[in-house]
Amino acid sequence: MPFVTTTAAVLVAAGRGTRAGGGLPKQWRTLGGRTVAAHSIEAFRAHPRVDRVVLVLHPDDMGLAPGWQMLPDMDVVAGGDTRGESVRAGLAALAETAPDQVLIHDVARPLVTSDLIDRVIGALADTQGAAPALPVVDALWVGEDGRVAGTQDRTGLWRAQTPQGFHYGAIRDAHASADADAPDDVAVARAAGLDVSIVEGDERNLKITGPADFERAEHLLRGPMDIRVGNGFDVHAFIEGDRVILCGIEIPHDRALSGHSDADVGMHAVTDAIYGALAAGDIGRHFPPSDPQWKGAESHIFLSHARDLAAQHGFKLGNADLTLICEAPKIGPHADEMSERLAEILGAHPSRISVKATTSEKLGFPGRQEGIAAIATVSLVPA
Ligand code: MG
């Protein structure tokens, strides 16, 4: 039988760090639709050379791991007061099945890649320890009271990342006699005399600490080119009246538009286009016409909701292009004001919002002046 090396991962998630915002320890905050912890766990579970994953949680968080402890390739254990104690708890959970090697990873690095895990595992064939790092490229200063008090030579300095990989027995023994304030597992290993190789780290493998790291991680997850496009189409019929409201602007006319809300056909088309770009249904889904509270509602409520939903998904308006289809009233004299009103609601510059009009050459319902149609296209870009 060929010799097969077994590898386990210990993911340390016992910290209480809330500096990333959101009022929750960062590992429980959502990033691109799932928790930071879930991203890290999946990265290791999905790796073909990782056989087992041990998640170390804060004792108060043991109820926050729905289903993970049920997975046949996972254990969920309670950590201790310090990082070192938590790692020891994770290593102890592996004692029975004793893998050949173990990768110890900080769960707050949710963008760890399969390639990076490969590099660490690959290096363990030749050394008892291996960990990723990136060379320091910025100048380094020593600061005191907000002033530069000195400079530091950066030659030979590295920024350490995780996962840090070790032969299992060696790191378990090293941790058994480790100094309580060792900054990471490489320090523990070195203190026990183990050799640790540096493998190439990855800028994507950032550690989430503050809110800016969350934003960067969201951007990295989404990739640079996630641009969404949506369309919206709406029609409202004319009824008796003396004005219409189009894109929030009141225009005197010899008819009015009929609708459950203020019948702002232009704003509805733009709103539906935003919902469309998010694959989030349409106005009717978010504001059911059967609900009396939206009777006569001003349509900026709908557009603001769509804008906020886009922001929740990490998007803002790229541009919008709206065409109103009617014989009358004349749109041209009001088009700039309409664009400015839409821009104000959407938090965009009016140069990104086109409002134009066409007739339908007296054909069809707009041609017969039975109503107004509107068609809109919007793009959403990462906020
Ligand atoms: Mg409508």
Side-chain angles (χ1 to χ4, degrees):
M1 200 171 119
F3 177 69
V4 179
T5 306
T6 55
T7 303
V10 169
L11 306 190
V12 189
R16 301 324 272 156
T18 52
R19 274 180 292 167
L24 283 172
K26 57 196 173 187
Q27 60 270 32
W28 302 118
R29 281 198 54 195
T30 303
L31 185 65
R34 50 185 178 164
T35 61
V36 168
H39 280 283
S40 294
I41 290 166
E42 283 315 308
F44 285 90
R45 288 191 66 223
H47 195 282
R49 293 189 63 189
V50 175
D51 308 295
R52 183 149 207 90
V53 172
V54 178
L55 176 67
V56 186
L57 295 182
H58 189 277
D60 292 349
D61 290 354
M62 292 301 282
L64 293 177
W68 284 330
Q69 53 271 72
M70 312 297 286
L71 297 171
D73 59 345
M74 265 193 83
D75 293 297
V76 182
V77 300
D81 289 337
T82 64
R83 188 181 181 286
E85 282 177 43
S86 294
V87 173
R88 279 194 286 283
L91 293 172
L94 289 166
E96 225 171 275
T97 50
D100 297 309
Q101 49 202 26
V102 62
L103 309 175
I104 304 173
H105 184 64
D106 186 341
V107 83
R109 294 186 188 269
L111 302 187
V112 59
T113 61
S114 182
D115 284 351
L116 182 61
I117 296 171
D118 271 337
R119 288 200 287 277
V120 176
I121 293 177
L124 288 176
D126 305 316
T127 170
Q128 289 181 306
L134 291 164
V136 173
V137 292
D138 295 320
L140 294 177
W141 299 335
V142 178
E144 265 174 33
D145 303 327
R147 299 186 125 98
V148 179
T151 56
Q152 170 77 48
D153 183 6
R154 65 175 177 251
T155 312
L157 293 184
W158 295 80
R159 291 186 285 137
Q161 298 190 330
T162 69
Q164 300 181 348
F166 307 93
H167 292 188
Y168 173 70
I171 192 69
R172 188 196 51 204
D173 294 348
H175 260 285
S177 55
D179 195 339
D181 32 75
D184 65 2
D185 302 291
V186 165
V188 169
R190 293 196 66 255
L194 303 183
D195 253 346
V196 181
S197 298
I198 299 175
V199 304
E200 186 191 346
D202 186 340
E203 287 290 356
R204 282 177 56 97
N205 184 30
L206 80 167
K207 181 173 182 173
I208 292 187
T209 307
D213 305 318
F214 248 96
E215 271 173 41
R216 222 184 115 213
E218 291 269 12
H219 275 288
L220 286 167
L221 266 180
R222 230 175 8 238
M225 289 300 287
D226 193 0
I227 291 170
R228 307 290 177 90
V229 174
N231 69 65
F233 178 72
D234 198 22
V235 174
H236 282 263
F238 280 129
I239 51 170
E240 268 183 47
D242 59 6
R243 74 199 69 180
V244 294
I245 294 170
L246 294 172
C247 303
I249 307 301
E250 197 174 282
I251 302 172
H253 191 47
D254 57 3
R255 318 292 315 267
L257 288 172
S258 155
H260 187 71
S261 64
D262 63 6
D264 189 336
V265 63
M267 206 175 280
H268 293 181
V270 173
T271 304
D272 272 345
I274 295 174
Y275 288 135
L278 298 168
D282 58 15
I283 294 177
R285 177 166 132 193
H286 297 282
F287 300 91
S290 54
D291 186 338
Q293 68 170 307
W294 309 122
K295 179 142 184 61
E298 293 187 28
S299 295
H300 63 80
I301 296 169
F302 312 148
L303 186 58
S304 302
H305 177 267
R307 170 204 65 203
D308 292 345
L309 194 64
Q312 279 167 33
H313 283 76
F315 289 100
K316 64 178 182 183
L317 185 83
N319 72 302
D321 183 17
L322 170 70
T323 302
L324 294 161
I325 304 162
C326 57
E327 304 290 329
K330 286 225 169 305
I331 302 300
H334 308 283
D336 285 349
E337 205 186 339
M338 292 180 184
S339 155
E340 281 160 20
R341 178 68 184 128
L342 293 174
E344 187 187 328
I345 297 167
L346 291 170
H349 193 270
S351 65
R352 291 179 177 270
I353 299 176
S354 146
V355 176
K356 58 195 196 298
T358 183
T359 70
S360 64
E361 298 291 340
K362 301 206 159 50
L363 297 172
F365 68 86
R368 294 190 298 269
Q369 301 203 39
E370 293 167 3
I372 298 181
I375 184 164
T377 303
V378 305
S379 66
L380 300 181
V381 297

